[in-house]
Amino acid sequence: MTQKAPRKQHLIDTAFRLFNERGYHATGIDLILAEAGVSKATLYKHFASKEALILAVLEQRHRQLLEALQQQLDSDPRPQGVLAVFDMLDSWFQTVEFFGCNFIRASGEYSAPEDTIHRFAGAHKTKMGRLLEMHLRPHCPEQSSQIANDLMLLVDGAIVTAQMRQAKDAAKRARMIAQALLLEARCTD
Amino acid sequence: MTQKAPRKQHLIDTAFRLFNERGYHATGIDLILAEAGVSKATLYKHFASKEALILAVLEQRHRQLLEALQQQLDSDPRPQGVLAVFDMLDSWFQTVEFFGCNFIRASGEYSAPEDTIHRFAGAHKTKMGRLLEMHLRPHCPEQSSQIANDLMLLVDGAIVTAQMRQAKDAAKRARMIAQALLLEARCTD
DNA sequence: ACTCTAGTAGACAGATCTGTTCACGTCAAC
DNA sequence: GTTGACGTGAACAGATCTGTCTACTAGAGT
């Protein structure tokens, strides 16, 4: 070992994969270390605790998703550009690494509303919704907030449906509903 | 102790409450026993394992929800009678014991698709959807299946939204979307 | 009275969990 | 070449986990 690659990042990536495959409580530190080929002392040099590692994983994923969504939205300024979020979901659902949403599952495992992890997961959803709202605001300022919330509800519904019932078409269905929603709100061009 | 009340049922009820409050992995057998005031030998007389206890909890909840929904549906045979499911969600969200859906969270913690718990949780959602479909079928036989699936997607989206962001209005929003969906499908009277 | 059932408390096994610590290795920069 | 940063492996502590087992007790039915 002793490769040049930064251990910290490698730990985050490995933990991300294992948390996805197995869940948070069910994934022990030792397994992460074994799969990453990193010693325990190194992990605790970079992260104060398992909770800190979980938060680092969620933070990275949060940044990735936020950036990816923003990029999609920028490429289509029309109101219906927000539907891109469902296309992103759709391709995600087709992958073999799909085990549901990190944030939904984290929120479920750390269920106390005041828990740091629970709140971070909720904040992620809120921020994703805010991106959608910002995109819609110029076109329908009075309804943008509500529509954005409804879209996020559809996003989460699609994720859970795909996760629980292997319904790989859930994103396409949610997209249809969302399209009707925009149309009905007359928030189109 | 040594009350007449059946220990088995009491264990299921206690486990149900604790699993809700804390999650499945995070709730140890010992805590359930202490809270229920029941000895460990008794638990393992009634249940082969913790997994069996979890399944018993989910089975009971499944029966309760199925029955409650069926009752609501029977009381309003109109197509829009299905919207009752969102009214049920709404009153659930207002309670202090709301910690999200047992089945969604179980599906997240036991994420392997072939896991017994995971599959049971998925089957629950499927059966709930089937109830909605049966209700709609007489009114719009061609679309009843798809509409029912869409409604379940909205149900799950509302639950996750309420759980992650304490959005107590999620059920009302989902109901609005569902209503528009029925209207658009011309599945009303 | 006797027996059967259902329960108790609690010790125990063995695994696994997070987190700490320590002695040692490697390698690049200066 | 020496230093210092970074990492390793492994032992260890202490908690907690599921599940088993034994010895005992209370009560109900016959």
Side-chain angles (χ1 to χ4, degrees):
Chain A
M1 283 300 129
T2 318
Q3 68 232 9
K4 195 68 208 71
R7 298 297 208 262
K8 184 171 181 178
Q9 186 57 46
H10 187 220
L11 277 171
I12 293 179
D13 293 338
T14 306
F16 172 66
R17 177 172 59 80
L18 290 173
F19 287 150
N20 270 333
E21 290 174 8
R22 313 165 47 94
Y24 297 93
H25 285 92
T27 303
I29 287 289
D30 289 340
L31 178 61
I32 298 172
L33 295 173
E35 297 254 326
V38 168
S39 78
K40 194 176 277 199
T42 302
L43 184 148
Y44 281 100
K45 189 165 295 178
H46 289 298
F47 304 99
S49 61
K50 183 184 181 181
E51 184 186 39
L53 175 59
I54 293 174
L55 283 169
V57 165
L58 292 181
E59 264 163 37
Q60 166 169 294
R61 182 74 173 153
H62 172 62
R63 282 194 305 274
Q64 283 173 351
L65 291 176
L66 220 63
E67 192 179 334
L69 177 57
Q70 185 65 66
Q71 198 171 331
Q72 287 297 308
L73 295 178
D74 289 346
S75 76
D76 184 352
R78 297 174 306 159
Q80 56 265 48
V82 294
L83 296 177
V85 73
F86 297 101
D87 300 329
M88 291 171 66
L89 284 187
D90 188 48
S91 43
W92 183 29
F93 293 173
Q94 313 308 319
T95 65
V96 292
E97 307 99 17
F98 175 70
F99 290 93
C101 168
N102 298 89
F103 301 92
I104 296 176
R105 292 173 66 194
S107 173
E109 290 206 39
Y110 301 89
S111 47
E114 68 274 14
D115 187 292
T116 309
I117 295 176
H118 186 97
R119 280 163 49 190
F120 188 89
H124 163 74
K125 295 292 182 186
T126 300
K127 280 175 191 153
M128 293 291 279
R130 201 123 61 203
L131 242 57
L132 299 180
E133 185 195 343
M134 286 300 146
H135 187 90
L136 292 170
R137 195 190 283 278
H139 305 96
C140 41
E142 300 92 22
Q143 310 169 80
S144 61
S145 171
Q146 183 146 104
I147 297 179
N149 278 331
D150 288 356
L151 291 177
M152 284 308 295
L153 189 151
L154 288 168
V155 164
D156 289 331
I159 294 173
V160 167
T161 303
Q163 169 199 326
M164 294 188 76
R165 299 196 269 160
Q166 284 84 44
K168 293 189 192 276
D169 67 329
K172 294 185 188 71
R173 290 305 311 155
R175 192 187 199 280
M176 293 290 292
I177 303 172
Q179 198 163 26
L181 214 107
L182 289 178
L183 217 70
E184 195 194 12
R186 273 186 274 282
C187 190
T188 50
D189 60 356
Chain B
M1 285 299 127
T2 318
Q3 67 231 7
K4 195 69 209 71
R7 298 296 208 263
K8 184 171 181 179
Q9 186 56 47
H10 187 220
L11 277 171
I12 292 179
D13 293 338
T14 307
F16 172 66
R17 177 173 59 79
L18 290 173
F19 287 151
N20 270 334
E21 290 174 7
R22 314 165 47 95
Y24 297 93
H25 285 92
T27 304
I29 288 289
D30 289 339
L31 178 63
I32 299 172
L33 295 174
E35 297 254 325
V38 166
S39 78
K40 194 176 276 199
T42 302
L43 184 146
Y44 281 100
K45 189 164 295 179
H46 290 299
F47 305 98
S49 62
K50 182 183 181 180
E51 184 187 37
L53 175 59
I54 294 175
L55 284 169
V57 165
L58 293 181
E59 265 163 37
Q60 166 168 295
R61 182 75 173 152
H62 172 61
R63 281 195 305 273
Q64 283 174 352
L65 290 177
L66 219 63
E67 192 179 334
L69 177 58
Q70 185 65 66
Q71 198 171 330
Q72 288 297 309
L73 295 178
D74 288 346
S75 76
D76 184 353
R78 297 174 305 159
Q80 56 265 48
V82 293
L83 296 176
V85 73
F86 297 101
D87 300 328
M88 292 170 66
L89 284 187
D90 189 48
S91 44
W92 182 30
F93 292 173
Q94 313 308 320
T95 65
V96 292
E97 307 98 18
F98 175 70
F99 289 95
C101 168
N102 298 89
F103 301 93
I104 295 176
R105 291 173 67 194
S107 172
E109 290 205 39
Y110 300 89
S111 48
E114 69 273 16
D115 187 294
T116 308
I117 295 177
H118 186 98
R119 280 164 49 190
F120 188 89
H124 163 74
K125 295 291 182 185
T126 299
K127 280 176 191 152
M128 293 291 280
R130 200 121 63 202
L131 243 55
L132 298 180
E133 185 195 343
M134 287 299 147
H135 187 89
L136 292 171
R137 195 191 283 276
H139 305 95
C140 41
E142 301 92 22
Q143 309 168 81
S144 61
S145 171
Q146 182 146 103
I147 297 179
N149 278 332
D150 288 357
L151 292 178
M152 284 307 296
L153 189 150
L154 288 168
V155 164
D156 289 331
I159 294 173
V160 167
T161 302
Q163 169 199 327
M164 294 187 75
R165 299 195 270 159
Q166 284 84 45
K168 293 189 194 276
D169 67 327
K172 295 185 188 70
R173 291 305 311 155
R175 192 187 199 280
M176 293 290 293
I177 304 173
Q179 199 164 26
L181 213 107
L182 290 178
L183 217 71
E184 194 194 12
R186 272 187 275 283
C187 189
T188 50
D189 59 357

